[in-house]
Amino acid sequence: MDSTPSLKERYAKDGFVIIPGLIPAEDRTELEAACERVIAKTRAGLWTHRRVVGKQFPPYDTETNPDSWGVQHVMHPDLHEPAFAKWYTSDPLVHAAAELLECEEGDLQMELFNLLINPLSHEFALRWHRDDVKETASEEEERAALSVWDHGVQWNTALYQDSCLYVVPGSHKLPRTPEQRAQSATQSPPDDPSEMPGAVQVVLQPGETVFYNNNILHCGTYKSHERRATLHACMGDTRGGSTRARNILQHGLRWMKEDAFRATLNPRGNAMLERLLAMERSVGGHVGYSLD
Ligand SMILES: O=C(O)CCC(=O)C(=O)O
Ligand SMILES: [Fe+2]
């Protein structure tokens, strides 16, 4: 019997797994060029859906500091870059997501698609965090939040070598130790991420993807002189009902409801989008739970 753990087993145990080759060779040049154009627009201040230096979570101040570490909503029809939705709905990616979620393609829900880039004039870092559990959570609250069955996958796909992300393997299932808590309860980013007990640096070669549970304890460090263009996205599994609503619908996604966006999608993309819109309708009316 083959005892090599499957991708899903590694993902479930460690909270992350690296998979190469999810960008079809024929799409690579197109995606690189699309990234170059949206990065240039963002740095020029022409695309204001961006993550700005100094701010870790949304809402991002889109008016003042122009130095950006991320481009938001790359599938937005106003960017006119079909390569992003084409890749998001491509076979290799959809099959990998369905494998990790152990679901059928018909369960997959379209969610967020952003781009992580190097700021140009600042070194910047994110403090240690879990995306959907507050740093002030008690051990009991952490246990409860982490025991909920996870119905989404998030990933980073590097176009160029990327060593910005640090994770603590296995921490997606475990409350923080006192030492880990001390290092992640602070609002400031770490001087040296490797001081976090259990931390490993995730080094991606061009074309590699790390899928990770976004409640794994993680942080990011960004160097202005190291080129970064890393596709950063997530997908959900509709069998989770509205469990992902808070995390996903806080991002100002009204544009996803518009015909202009639908028109850019292939039938698979439209079906995935329809599942997101159904989730939004199912939680409609709750503050912070709308695409608007
Ligand atoms: O830059 C990265 O790879 C991680 C980003 C991140 O943790 C976040 O946006 O919450
Ligand atoms: Fe994060």
Side-chain angles (χ1 to χ4, degrees), residues 184-203:
S184 60
T186 145
Q187 288 301 314
S188 32
D191 291 330
D192 177 1
S194 63
E195 283 174 3
M196 173 62 86
V200 300
Q201 185 173 22
V202 177
V203 180

Side-chain angles (χ1 to χ4, degrees), residues 38-134:
V38 302
I39 292 170
K41 275 188 191 167
T42 303
R43 288 182 175 150
L46 300 172
W47 185 251
T48 56
H49 299 291
R50 61 191 179 193
R51 300 180 174 199
V52 290
V53 162
K55 190 80 178 23
Q56 171 142 346
F57 291 119
Y60 300 102
D61 171 3
T62 57
E63 302 299 325
T64 46
N65 188 343
D67 202 10
S68 303
W69 63 277
V71 182
Q72 297 292 89
H73 309 323
V74 293
M75 294 192 289
H76 196 303
D78 291 353
L79 279 174
H80 305 288
E81 294 291 0
F84 293 115
K86 181 178 169 202
W87 181 65
Y88 187 94
T89 58
S90 66
D91 279 343
L93 198 53
V94 161
H95 294 159
E99 181 176 347
L100 295 178
L101 288 166
E102 291 184 311
C103 71
E104 301 297 325
E105 184 190 324
D107 298 319
L108 290 174
Q109 162 175 293
M110 180 175 284
E111 295 183 342
L112 309 172
F113 192 176
N114 302 312
L115 178 65
L116 300 172
I117 65 176
N118 56 300
L120 281 185
S121 50
H122 301 77
E123 310 298 285
F124 180 54
L126 304 184
R127 61 182 171 77
W128 283 100
H129 65 284
R130 306 184 190 276
D131 284 358
D132 203 30
V133 187
K134 285 204 165 53

